Amino acid sequence: MKKYLLSAAVLTASGAAAYAGGPVAPAPEPVLAPVVQPVAPTFGAWQGGYVGGNLNWGKNPISGFLDDPDGASGALRGGYDWQSGRTVMGLGAEYDFGKLKGNNAAGAASSVGKAATVYGRLGYDAGPWLPYALAGYTWADGQSGGADTNLDGYTLGLGVERKFNDRWSGYAEYNYTDFGNVAAFGGSKVETQKVKLGVNFKF
């Protein structure tokens, strides 16, 4: 009889606990939403073709001239770059359609301009930046005191290009061209120094 009474008490207590809500289950762990990291802009590889142009200022320091040829000008350029790792190598060409004007030792008008350059360049991929060096050959028209002459010589340069996005970039560049000693300029050495600011479009 006692056994039956004990069983009934246990069942009654269990029912009361169930009615009251039963044992309290542990609260579930909160689920945290993943943190979205901002995506940095991608600039893509430097490899590919490009066309562009620049505005530049140049000077021809010629010994004995009363007024060295100088002035502002504009140029168009195009080329193609290849990339291996962080090394960028390219070939290109530029045509500068302006003239640097001055006066020779006798006070007669002189000029150097309409210069065409072919060049190779070597650069380092630093993300959106591309510091580079270039070397090439330049042909130009020269005129001094009514005497016309053809000029040609080597060109060296340093520059840095910066991508704005996958298509557009801007660059700053310094060029030095040595045309050697030119008879039409009194046998003086003719050289050109130019600073350029330009943009390129990659395709």
Side-chain angles (χ1 to χ4, degrees), residues 4 8 15-16 29-30 36 39 43 66-67 83 92-93 102 105 115 148 153 161 196:
Y4 293 124
E29 292 290 332
V36 178
V39 178
F43 296 95
L66 296 178
D67 182 17
Q83 183 165 354
D148 295 328
E161 191 167 352
K196 306 180 179 185

Side-chain angles (χ1 to χ4, degrees), residues 77 88 119 121-124 130-134 157-161 171-174 200:
R77 70 167 49 178
V88 179
Y119 62 85
R121 72 172 183 170
L122 178 65
Y124 178 78
L130 180 74
Y132 62 87
L134 65 80
L158 292 173
V160 61
E161 191 167 352
Y171 63 91
E173 186 178 293
Y174 168 79
N200 285 331

Side-chain angles (χ1 to χ4, degrees), residues 54-139:
N54 63 70
L55 297 176
N56 59 75
W57 185 87
K59 185 173 184 178
N60 296 104
I62 303 174
S63 62
F65 269 43
L66 296 178
D67 182 17
D68 290 334
D70 64 2
S73 184
L76 299 175
R77 70 167 49 178
Y80 194 93
D81 290 325
W82 295 266
Q83 183 165 354
S84 177
R86 291 195 175 272
T87 302
V88 179
M89 297 169 288
L91 294 174
E94 177 178 289
Y95 181 72
D96 191 319
F97 45 83
K99 284 187 177 184
L100 309 182
K101 299 178 181 180
N103 296 289
N104 64 16
S110 63
S111 66
V112 175
K114 294 185 178 179
T117 302
V118 293
Y119 62 85
R121 72 172 183 170
L122 178 65
Y124 178 78
D125 178 0
W129 296 94
L130 180 74
Y132 62 87
L134 65 80
Y137 208 78
T138 298
W139 298 264

Side-chain angles (χ1 to χ4, degrees), residues 119-203:
Y119 62 85
R121 72 172 183 170
L122 178 65
Y124 178 78
D125 178 0
W129 296 94
L130 180 74
Y132 62 87
L134 65 80
Y137 208 78
T138 298
W139 298 264
D141 294 335
Q143 189 274 335
S144 180
D148 295 328
T149 186
N150 295 321
L151 306 174
D152 63 287
Y154 67 86
T155 294
L156 302 174
L158 292 173
V160 61
E161 191 167 352
R162 209 282 189 190
K163 279 186 176 290
F164 304 133
N165 53 45
D166 284 339
R167 295 291 185 185
W168 290 98
S169 62
Y171 63 91
E173 186 178 293
Y174 168 79
N175 280 178
Y176 168 81
T177 301
D178 186 348
F179 294 112
N181 296 324
V182 181
F185 288 81
S188 297
K189 185 176 183 179
V190 180
E191 53 190 0
T192 300
Q193 302 173 23
K194 287 187 176 182
V195 176
K196 306 180 179 185
L197 294 175
V199 294
N200 285 331
F201 175 78
K202 180 182 173 184
F203 56 88

